[in-house]
Amino acid sequence: YCFKPSRTRFASVLSNRGCRAQCTFCSVRTFNGVGVRQRSIGSVLEEMEHLRDRGVGHFMWLDDDLLKDHKRAIGLFNEMARRNLGMTWDATNGLIAASCEEEVVAAMAASGCIAVNIGMESGNPQILRQIKKPGRVENFLEAAEVFRKYEQIHACVLLMLGFPGETLGMIQDTINVARKMDLDWHRVVQLQPLPNTPIYDSMVAQGL
């Protein structure tokens, strides 16, 4: 999801487990439970320093809701910058757009962020409500405006097509919003109803 020199050693880090969102197509709450459980900032930084000392130059956050607590996230990123870890990182599990405020993204950039995915899925308000996405079209446009200020961060939008009842016009809404966001890339996937998710149960009940 990002470009690094060959021979760069990669690792993964988990800062918290779970997600505050209730997206009907997502299985995170199925296997992680409800809510978000956070590690201490100190323990996360100790792990990063351990990885750095083992030659790791880049890591991927495994968090499904990395920015859940703005104050904690900014504190974590600021401490990463203060310690000058010399590592880059990406958040490619998908960020919640409403959390991508200027102060947060500035701290991300200063701490070594070079790539993010923004979970939008749909640009149609009706579909967003239907899938219980924690965001409105305005949130996605505002987040994109912030990320466009930071050229060092490769920002990608996650899009999903094929929701029950989705029309061609609704798909066009998604395309139009993605174009307005004007970020670096778009990753488009087809809905895959995962067992034990609300959308799966609903589609089975409808014979879909």
Side-chain angles (χ1 to χ4, degrees), residues 4 10 25 33 37 50 53 59 62 75-76 98 107 119-120 129 135-136 141 154 159 176-177 194 196 198 201:
K4 294 292 294 180
F10 282 63
F25 58 85
R37 302 183 297 286
H50 174 74
D53 294 343
F59 69 89
L62 294 183
L76 171 61
M120 182 173 90
R129 290 192 297 271
R136 300 173 299 162
L141 295 174
H154 183 275
L159 307 177
N176 291 341
V177 173
L194 300 174
N196 298 315
D201 296 337

Side-chain angles (χ1 to χ4, degrees), residues 20-103:
R20 75 190 113 155
Q22 302 179 46
C23 302
T24 61
F25 58 85
C26 182
S27 60
V28 166
R29 289 164 66 91
T30 301
F31 58 80
N32 272 334
V34 177
V36 179
R37 302 183 297 286
Q38 300 174 328
R39 295 172 57 189
S40 70
I41 289 177
S43 73
V44 177
L45 286 161
E46 287 176 9
E47 180 177 350
M48 290 178 187
E49 291 177 334
H50 174 74
L51 292 171
R52 178 201 59 194
D53 294 343
R54 292 174 63 88
V56 171
H58 179 89
F59 69 89
M60 301 167 57
W61 288 113
L62 294 183
D63 300 47
D64 292 294
D65 195 359
L66 177 63
L67 308 180
K68 197 267 181 187
D69 182 331
H70 287 197
K71 183 177 179 180
R72 175 183 180 274
I74 291 171
L76 171 61
F77 301 143
N78 285 347
E79 184 61 15
M80 288 168 60
R82 189 190 70 80
R83 296 195 187 192
N84 193 25
L85 297 175
M87 303 166 70
T88 56
W89 60 268
D90 67 75
T92 44
N93 262 358
L95 299 176
I96 293 178
S99 293
C100 298
E101 298 177 349
E102 179 79 45
E103 185 180 8

Side-chain angles (χ1 to χ4, degrees), residues 127-147:
I127 293 293
L128 290 172
R129 290 192 297 271
Q130 176 181 312
I131 63 176
K132 296 187 177 180
K133 192 70 191 174
R136 300 173 299 162
V137 170
E138 292 78 8
N139 298 133
F140 304 126
L141 295 174
E142 290 167 0
E145 185 177 355
V146 173
F147 277 111

